[in-house]
Amino acid sequence: MLVPVLALLLITQPAAVAQAAERVVIEHGHVDLGPRFVDGRWTVQLRDDTGGAPQWRDLSDVVLHVPDAARTTVPDDQAYAFLGDRGSAVWVLPQVEQNGVVWPGWNTQDPEVAKAVDREVTWRLHGVRGPGRFALFLTGNFGAPQQIFTSTTPAPQETGVEVGTHVHGNWVFGAPGTYLLDIEMSTRTKDRRELTDRQALRIHVGNTDPRAAFDVPAAQPEQPKAQPAGFPWQWAGLGGLVLVVTVVVVVLRRRRGER
Amino acid sequence: MQVRAFSRAIGAVLVVLLAGCGAADGGASDGVAVVTTTEILADLVRNVGGERVRVDSLVPPGGDPHSYEPVPADAKKVAKADVTFTNHLLLEEQRLIKAIDANIRPGTPNASLAEASETYGAHVIPLVENIGLDVLWLGLRVRGDGKEKGATRTSDIRLTATAVEGPGALVAYLTETLGKPVVYFNSQDGLSDTDATTLPPAAHTHINWAFTKPGVYKLTLAASLIRGEGVAPTPLGTSTFTFAVGVNPAGVAKTVLADGHTDLTIDLDSGELYTLNDIPGGGKQNVVAAADAVIEVPNKAIVTVPDDPRFSFLGQAGGTVHQLPQAVLGKHVHGEIDPHLWQNVRNARAYVELIRDTIRGADPSGAEIYDRNARAYLDRLDELDAHVRETVARIPRERRQLITTHDGFGYFAAAYEMTVAGFVVPNPAQEPSVEDVRKLSETVRNLKVPAVFMEPNLAQRASVLNQVAKDQSVDVCVLYGDSFDDRVQSYVDMMRHNADEVHRCLV
């Protein structure tokens, strides 16, 4: 620990050091969710490009603010029924950069991550706490929406993010207030380590005080932050348990395959 | 969904676990009984096991593992097996995997080779779900702060299309969040001041790039800095970008931009316009000058114009355009892999090592023999890999285009530097749609390939490919994918044939 702190002191202003743990509300500009190795530990963070140099922040230090300027209505088109009733209000952070609102994406481009990860990162949504509906989707060819997460679908939901990629989507909220997205990013490394981290992302919707969102506590993480590498399966008669789990899993996979 | 990744981890563990502890009761006088799903796997096992093993493939010679349905005799074979090998859930018919899982004796090693071989160095590629998204992701970007030119955070950068040369029209447009298209540039009715867009400093955006006819296009973009209202715009620079639409990009310019992420970039500091490219797998970006780059818009990017008046600027509903899409997420199936690993000989090498260790676990007294056999066979595979590589390398690069009956040659293409230009359907169990057939015809025509490739076990299903080949007057050649026939009876012969055949038919 000593070395990085020392290095930081040598090369940066004291103000910048304080800033590293500062709580910030981000209202416009580009940010990305993504995994990083922080002191060697796989951690979901937020890359903040809204200042001068990019800065990675802990999710607990950030609120993304969606102002009322982002408010629009659900179109009269069956393809968008998953956003709510036609004509009802929704607050949207678009896939494409729009002046005046924050532009959140997600990336797996951190050099250390890109080097370590085998193929892809699994991004899981364990749940959403908030006053309204939440959806994350992509607008593709000819406007067909491709849903990634919706709060109306049972949790957990998951999607894959290929290593070394950077993606943007449409973030939609159905009512003003504070939302906590319970998200997890996990992966398997090229040297067969299973890594995972689970964090809460805070978003505040509407023209009320976004800092209030910091006071909403995250749900207790349901699993440890990092699993030990190389779990000793061959120990302790776990074989039987593995078999049972496998049978269940195999049945589930077959059922999926038969659809 | 969560269950799936977990099952994979457990599955891999299970293979090792069982292989480690399960000295089977077979392996004595009449040899180790091994059952595999396909004859390719059976051949690999024979080369490792030699006389000590009896190998049965459930899919009969010439059968298609994607569609073979097991018969009662298969259940008996599985029940007597000391070891079983399958490839991967996505290759074999569900019922085939079930026949093994349901009839295998408890404790018998049952290795699923495709994924378990990753620990032996197999190179696995993800399964492509939507080939139309497996293309370059092309955006627009503003880079640098432009302080020397008087730019501030509130400045605007105006980007205008001043010329489009090419056989058809170029349309660049954005589809907004809720489905409404906004056109940036459209050469359909000529170009004017309205074929322009305004970007903020540090902008980065992704739009759709559509082309109405195949051929080479040249798009000239001019950028200027607008510092405020009433201030005359400061010209920044002009560059011409080249696109190879549906035609071979090789030779059009020095650097072909075919996959990953590229932005046509305005550099506020230098005033230049160039391509900025993400290097796959790393955090780095590199610049390629507009004059040195050609952007590939392959035939797999052909889409049908929808019957929706909002998109009529692209042409008639039901017509086709080549289009690089604004979003490419979803090109791969999350967590799934392409099962045809053995089309890369180095992957077959990993299979062989895994087979060796699995059989050795079931019959430890034969360990020395298995080691010796495997060593000799691995040497042959190294020679084979070199032969395939050298043979394909003798085909001029721009001719290395594979058009096949099903999507079974991704590994071959990736390992030996070919391009999968198209196929009739992803999986042979699917029926091609009218759109699939049209796309295939356009691909053959646009690329002027001399031949397309049929798999002998799919001969009955090759009517579409044969018809397209006949219409376009190109040859139909033979590539072995998932099984053998009476002419090719071993993995080594199969790969040797495939290499020689692509050379013979494409040179």
Side-chain angles (χ1 to χ4, degrees):
Chain A
M1 271 315 288
L2 258 179
V3 176
V5 169
L6 201 62
L8 203 64
L9 287 172
L10 287 172
I11 59 167
T12 51
Q13 299 295 323
V17 177
Q19 203 185 8
E22 188 194 8
R23 287 181 155 183
V24 293
V25 173
I26 300 176
E27 316 213 301
H28 51 76
H30 178 249
V31 298
D32 274 330
L33 272 176
R36 281 186 79 219
F37 288 98
V38 179
D39 297 332
R41 193 155 93 174
W42 175 264
T43 311
V44 180
Q45 287 197 317
L46 188 98
R47 179 187 156 118
D48 177 358
D49 288 326
T50 64
Q55 185 174 5
W56 285 90
R57 298 179 185 276
D58 284 331
L59 295 199
S60 54
D61 293 334
V62 179
V63 170
L64 302 182
H65 186 205
V66 187
D68 281 334
R71 192 177 135 144
T72 180
T73 52
V74 177
D76 185 6
D77 181 341
Q78 192 52 36
Y80 294 94
F82 70 98
L83 298 180
D85 296 335
R86 59 189 58 171
S88 60
V90 280
W91 284 253
V92 178
L93 298 177
Q95 179 172 319
V96 175
E97 184 170 23
Q98 184 178 309
N99 254 339
V101 296
V102 60
W103 188 35
W106 53 98
N107 85 56
T108 50
Q109 289 179 312
D110 177 75
E112 210 181 328
V113 166
K115 217 171 104 186
V117 166
D118 186 20
R119 285 207 300 280
E120 66 173 352
V121 170
T122 295
W123 181 15
R124 219 167 264 130
L125 178 70
H126 285 279
V128 179
R129 279 195 294 150
R133 213 183 266 227
F134 163 73
L136 177 62
F137 72 98
L138 299 184
T139 309
N141 273 356
F142 309 131
Q146 183 193 340
Q147 296 175 39
I148 299 170
F149 298 132
T150 56
S151 60
T152 48
T153 309
Q157 304 159 47
E158 70 175 50
T159 186
V161 189
E162 270 162 69
V163 68
T165 59
H166 175 200
V167 184
H168 279 266
N170 303 289
W171 304 69
V172 181
F173 303 89
T178 292
Y179 293 74
L180 260 71
L181 308 187
D182 179 356
I183 59 182
E184 180 187 7
M185 289 188 175
S186 54
T187 197
R188 186 169 68 180
T189 62
K190 285 174 186 152
D191 56 1
R192 321 308 275 185
R193 284 177 300 145
E194 303 283 342
L195 303 175
T196 188
D197 186 40
R198 189 166 164 180
Q199 300 280 344
L201 175 66
R202 288 175 176 77
I203 298 121
H204 187 79
V205 177
N207 286 359
T208 51
D209 180 16
R211 298 196 76 86
F214 284 120
D215 302 332
V216 182
Q220 205 60 22
E222 285 161 25
Q223 56 188 78
K225 279 198 168 183
Q227 288 169 357
F231 191 83
W233 288 104
Q234 67 273 30
W235 289 6
L238 265 171
L241 173 64
V242 171
L243 263 177
V244 170
V245 173
T246 307
V247 168
V248 171
V249 162
V250 163
V251 167
L252 286 170
R253 294 184 80 186
R254 295 296 173 271
R255 284 177 54 190
R256 183 177 60 82
E258 279 165 9
R259 276 200 311 239
Chain B
M1 298 274 269
Q2 188 184 12
V3 172
R4 222 190 308 165
F6 186 54
S7 77
R8 184 160 302 118
I10 298 289
V13 166
L14 191 65
V15 167
V16 175
L17 194 74
L18 291 178
C21 66
D25 44 21
S29 57
D30 58 342
V32 181
V34 179
V35 166
T36 69
T37 47
T38 72
E39 44 183 343
I40 294 172
L41 300 185
D43 180 56
L44 299 181
V45 172
R46 255 178 229 119
N47 277 286
V48 176
E51 307 272 293
R52 267 184 98 85
V53 301
R54 285 174 297 111
V55 191
D56 261 314
S57 162
L58 296 183
V59 179
D64 172 22
H66 295 278
S67 58
Y68 174 74
E69 293 190 23
V71 295
D74 293 334
K76 281 189 202 152
K77 283 183 201 165
V78 172
K80 287 186 190 153
D82 301 313
V83 182
T84 63
F85 291 105
T86 59
N87 184 67
H88 182 65
L89 190 62
L90 288 172
L91 180 78
E92 295 101 340
E93 156 75 19
Q94 290 292 333
R95 274 165 282 201
L96 191 51
I97 302 273
K98 244 186 211 167
I100 290 186
D101 292 348
N103 295 293
I104 192 167
R105 279 178 291 126
T108 306
N110 175 12
S112 169
L113 291 168
E115 293 199 29
S117 65
E118 265 196 289
T119 48
Y120 288 81
H123 176 68
V124 166
I125 55 184
L127 187 69
V128 174
E129 177 161 52
N130 185 341
I131 191 174
L133 299 180
D134 193 16
V135 294
L136 181 70
W137 193 30
L138 184 66
L140 293 173
R141 184 188 285 268
V142 180
R143 199 184 188 203
D145 59 24
K147 270 186 193 141
E148 279 180 29
K149 295 191 167 64
T152 66
R153 289 179 76 102
T154 57
S155 301
D156 281 325
I157 291 85
R158 190 162 175 82
L159 189 63
T160 310
T162 56
V164 171
E165 281 174 43
L170 181 160
V171 188
Y173 69 99
L174 166 71
T175 304
E176 289 186 334
T177 299
L178 300 176
K180 187 173 140 251
V182 177
V183 175
Y184 284 29
F185 323 122
N186 184 353
S187 72
Q188 199 101 253
D189 49 359
L191 294 171
S192 67
D193 286 353
T194 59
D195 292 293
T197 187
T198 302
L199 301 164
H204 178 203
T205 189
H206 278 274
I207 57 179
N208 302 288
W209 303 81
F211 301 83
T212 58
K213 287 198 175 78
V216 174
Y217 288 71
K218 289 188 180 290
L219 164 68
T220 304
L221 292 176
S224 55
L225 173 68
I226 300 170
R227 280 170 296 174
E229 273 181 55
V231 185
T234 313
L236 288 167
T238 297
S239 278
T240 299
F241 296 93
T242 305
F243 298 81
V245 178
V247 296
N248 205 307
V252 176
K254 213 158 54 185
T255 305
V256 177
L257 304 174
D259 49 26
H261 172 211
T262 290
D263 290 316
L264 305 187
T265 301
I266 303 152
D267 190 317
L268 274 186
D269 298 327
S270 69
E272 287 172 294
L273 278 74
Y274 49 67
T275 68
L276 184 65
N277 307 282
D278 276 336
I279 312 281
K284 286 190 185 156
Q285 296 179 311
N286 75 337
V287 169
V288 178
D292 293 336
V294 52
I295 294 156
E296 185 182 8
V297 187
N299 290 298
K300 57 190 174 185
I302 293 174
V303 290
T304 302
V305 177
D307 188 6
D308 178 339
R310 292 179 302 174
F311 291 94
S312 59
F313 59 84
L314 290 172
Q316 288 239 307
T320 58
V321 291
H322 284 74
Q323 177 169 280
L324 295 181
Q326 67 185 35
V328 298
L329 187 78
K331 66 181 168 185
H332 292 141
V333 187
H334 170 45
E336 293 294 9
I337 62 170
D338 181 338
H340 306 88
L341 274 80
W342 61 87
Q343 289 290 342
N344 174 351
V345 179
R346 290 181 186 173
N347 286 344
R349 221 182 174 285
Y351 274 28
V352 166
E353 292 182 30
L354 175 58
I355 288 168
R356 175 197 62 204
D357 291 354
T358 310
I359 302 182
R360 230 169 36 171
D363 176 25
S365 57
E368 251 177 70
I369 295 169
Y370 301 134
D371 284 350
R372 196 169 54 232
N373 290 348
R375 255 200 313 276
Y377 189 54
L378 289 171
D379 285 345
R380 282 182 69 199
L381 293 185
D382 287 341
E383 282 167 32
L384 175 67
D385 184 55
H387 172 77
V388 176
R389 199 169 298 282
E390 284 157 17
T391 308
V392 175
R394 283 189 280 118
I395 307 170
R397 194 170 281 276
E398 70 279 5
R399 288 179 160 246
R400 294 186 212 158
Q401 308 277 354
L402 279 179
I403 295 175
T404 59
T405 29
H406 94 288
D407 185 16
F409 298 91
Y411 287 95
F412 190 87
Y416 305 110
E417 298 183 27
M418 295 193 70
T419 302
V420 175
F423 38 76
V424 182
V425 284
N427 183 312
Q430 291 166 321
E431 287 298 327
S433 67
V434 175
E435 212 168 311
D436 290 334
V437 176
R438 185 164 64 180
K439 204 163 165 170
L440 189 74
S441 305
E442 290 189 31
T443 304
V444 172
R445 187 170 55 234
N446 294 342
L447 286 175
K448 301 187 177 72
V449 293
V452 296
F453 296 89
M454 184 194 78
E455 292 151 77
N457 62 315
L458 300 175
Q460 318 89 293
R461 297 186 151 270
S463 56
V464 168
L465 192 71
N466 283 325
Q467 189 59 48
V468 168
K470 201 177 148 202
D471 294 347
Q472 307 287 336
S473 307
V474 302
D475 293 337
V476 178
C477 295
V478 170
L479 281 187
Y480 291 87
D482 303 333
S483 57
F484 305 145
D485 66 359
D486 48 1
R487 292 196 305 145
V488 160
Q489 296 278 335
S490 75
Y491 172 72
V492 171
D493 286 351
M494 160 180 143
M495 293 306 292
R496 204 166 260 280
H497 165 94
N498 285 358
D500 296 345
E501 185 82 342
V502 292
H503 182 268
R504 183 179 73 83
C505 297
L506 295 180
V507 163

